[in-house]
Amino acid sequence: MRRRRPSLAALAPALGTALTLGMALAVLAAGPALASSYRYWSFWDGGSGGGTWSYATTGPSLARPADGSVQGFRFAVSRDAGAEAARPRAAADFAAICGATPAAEGTKRVALVIDFGVPADAPAGEGPPQEGPRTACAQVAPQATAAEALASVAKPLRYNGAALLCAIAGYPQQGCGEPISSPQDTARAQTPDPRAAPAPSPAGPDSGTGPSVGLLAGIAAVAALAAAGVWQSRRRAR
């Protein structure tokens, strides 16, 4: 007996299901991670004034800088902590900041760089209180923490219930390490600042120079599911 081939109408449900699932997979894989950036004060260690910054491994309330140290704070929208976070835009130069402050017995000098960031990183309705970084020489007790040194020159400070530093010199007035979750905030946060160093170019197969990984995954899913639908329809038609 001659086998009857499945008609296009018979294959339509299987193909429609395959296309729908494939498109859903493509959207999920290719969609941007809108909550992958955070707006917060980052804390940096400038060591003994060598001019370079490294991301601090402890919070300012635990760090106890030695006499002659440089500590930095930067408010910015960053993808994560560490290498991706924005550094203070002034050099970690102890002599330039504390050179005019004489040493005193029973105290230590800690040079501070406080960078309020750029307007593009400010919360809605606010802006940095000054355009460039602020520097100050804190002369505090030998056992004082970086937070205590900061409080001596840049009050008021604001912390949340988890002891996260939320505001320096009252900025920002609201918010504390919140994720940037809306497309409008993400676009606003990514507005380039002409004074800032250019961000590194993205690397990898999903760098924007060709089809995204999500799109290719969706196409592959469509093809696989469509083939499965055709095979199943042919089995039923036998």
Side-chain angles (χ1 to χ4, degrees):
M1 179 182 292
R2 186 179 179 182
R3 294 177 181 174
R4 186 179 60 182
R5 287 189 175 182
S7 66
L8 182 59
L11 296 180
L15 292 174
T17 301
L19 180 60
T20 301
L21 292 175
M23 291 178 66
L25 288 172
V27 169
L28 289 174
L34 294 178
S36 62
S37 298
Y38 295 83
R39 181 186 287 116
Y40 66 101
W41 278 102
S42 57
F43 176 44
W44 299 84
D45 184 11
S48 57
T52 59
W53 296 107
S54 60
Y55 198 82
T57 56
T58 60
S61 61
L62 296 177
R64 297 184 186 277
D67 180 68
S69 298
V70 186
Q71 306 282 272
F73 298 85
R74 171 70 188 269
F75 187 77
V77 172
S78 301
R79 295 182 65 88
D80 58 19
E84 292 290 339
R87 291 170 171 77
R89 294 170 296 166
D93 190 339
F94 178 83
I97 299 171
C98 285
T101 302
E105 186 176 355
T107 66
K108 66 180 177 183
R109 294 171 298 166
V110 179
L112 297 171
V113 175
I114 306 165
D115 191 337
F116 295 95
V118 298
D121 286 349
E126 295 193 61
Q130 66 182 59
E131 188 169 325
R134 177 190 301 180
T135 61
C137 186
Q139 197 157 24
V140 291
Q143 295 302 313
T145 64
E148 290 170 328
L150 179 65
S152 71
V153 298
K155 289 182 178 179
L157 306 182
R158 177 167 58 87
Y159 293 87
N160 68 1
L164 177 67
L165 179 61
C166 304
I168 297 176
Y171 178 75
Q173 297 179 10
Q174 299 179 356
C176 193
E178 65 275 9
I180 308 303
S181 56
S182 72
Q184 292 83 2
D185 279 351
T186 301
R188 184 168 180 263
Q190 291 175 349
T191 301
D193 176 54
R195 295 166 296 175
S201 300
D206 200 15
S207 61
T209 58
S212 68
V213 172
L215 180 58
L216 294 177
I219 293 172
V222 170
L225 289 170
V230 172
W231 178 81
Q232 184 68 21
S233 297
R234 286 181 175 175
R235 281 193 60 191
R236 291 175 180 174
R238 288 178 181 179

